[in-house]
Amino acid sequence: MRRTIDWVDGAVVVIDQTALPGAYRLLELRTVGALVDAIRRLAVRGAPALGAAGALGVALAVREGGDVRAHAELIARARPTAVNLAWGVERALAKLGEGPDAVLAEALALLDEDERLNETASKHAAEVVLDACPRRPLRLLSHCNAGRLATVGWGSALGVVWHLHERGLVEEVLVDETRPLFQGARLTAWELAQANVPYRVQPDSAAAAAMARGLVDCVLVGADRIAANGDVANKIGTYGLAIAAHHHRVPFVVVAPSSTVDEHIADGTGIAIEERDAGELTHFAGVPITPPDASVFNPAFDVTPHDLVTAVVTEHGVFRGAGRSPGRLRSP
Ligand code: MRU
């Protein structure tokens, strides 16, 4: 499978995630404006993929000419919650003084790293899951899309599934459809189907019932920003999942590259949460589903307190939650 996001002949090329699973098409983004629009529309999405978009966006800005720093600012602010976006922008901007080739080389190095670090993080997390969950084969629950499509390649939380599936250890993945944009039903289910991993899609509201019925051995999610104390911002609904998992004593494992850890933010209260357009809730496939003047509450993310998290795993190892003192990252 090709990379979710790459640099091809002077353009940022992304797999259009608004079109899947109905159509597999690529978007060639040749201007900063086109890239920012693609980020806002979620044509490219998922925290690590946004980090790559940020870095490649600076390379694009350099080629486009004009005020590179103003363009970089525009890219970094396209979505507020995933820290990776601004991190990717900053990394490429730091090479500005060395010229356009150095900026592009830095962005491409970030892309290479992303695949490698997510593969390593998810390998560590697979061991954590095997330690925490005695049953074989495993029944895993996934929320949103934290797969290849959310990263440059491989994936974070879904990367754990790839490792475990290779070893014949996955019975099925329960896929939360993920409201309101169906990243689970559209994207995670598509990736699992491509990889021949057995799965069932469920409404987000069925997750607690699935745990109550004993159908879930472990919840696996990615993250958009992890505060210094281990609080985790991720797709809306993650917090509710963590509460249900805690109640049912189901391990709740977060997998992310360390670029998602924001040491500048002490705890989850400092994380900016993106509010999305009302139309995502008032309309379904273009058809109105609420009274015309309905007000909506549409946060894209929520924050899960660290004491509900069994483990946050990065490429460096495990950052344990579950009420224990966070400490530093250490190897599993
Ligand atoms: O709004 P999205 O689709 O960008 O939200 C994505 C998520 O919440 C993912 O779980 C997160 O970015 C981790 S992806 C490895």
Side-chain angles (χ1 to χ4, degrees), residues 140 159-171 192 195-198:
L140 306 165
V160 181
V161 173
W162 312 143
H163 283 299
L164 294 171
H165 179 62
E166 269 171 16
R167 295 162 66 178
L169 294 173
V170 178
E171 180 171 321
L192 290 166
N196 289 317
V197 178

Side-chain angles (χ1 to χ4, degrees), residues 64 79 102 134-135 146 164 168 204 210 228 232 248 250 255 265 269 307:
E64 206 176 331
R79 294 190 76 194
R135 189 184 189 277
L164 294 171
D204 296 3
V232 174
H248 292 289
V250 171
V255 192
I265 290 193
T269 59
D307 57 358

Side-chain angles (χ1 to χ4, degrees), residues 42 45-48 50 79 143-146 150-151 156 183 222-224 234-235 301:
L42 273 54
R45 48 147 297 281
L50 289 175
R79 294 190 76 194
H143 191 68
C144 194
N145 172 265
T151 60
S156 62
Q183 286 94 326
D224 287 84
N234 191 50
K235 178 54 52 190
F301 303 97

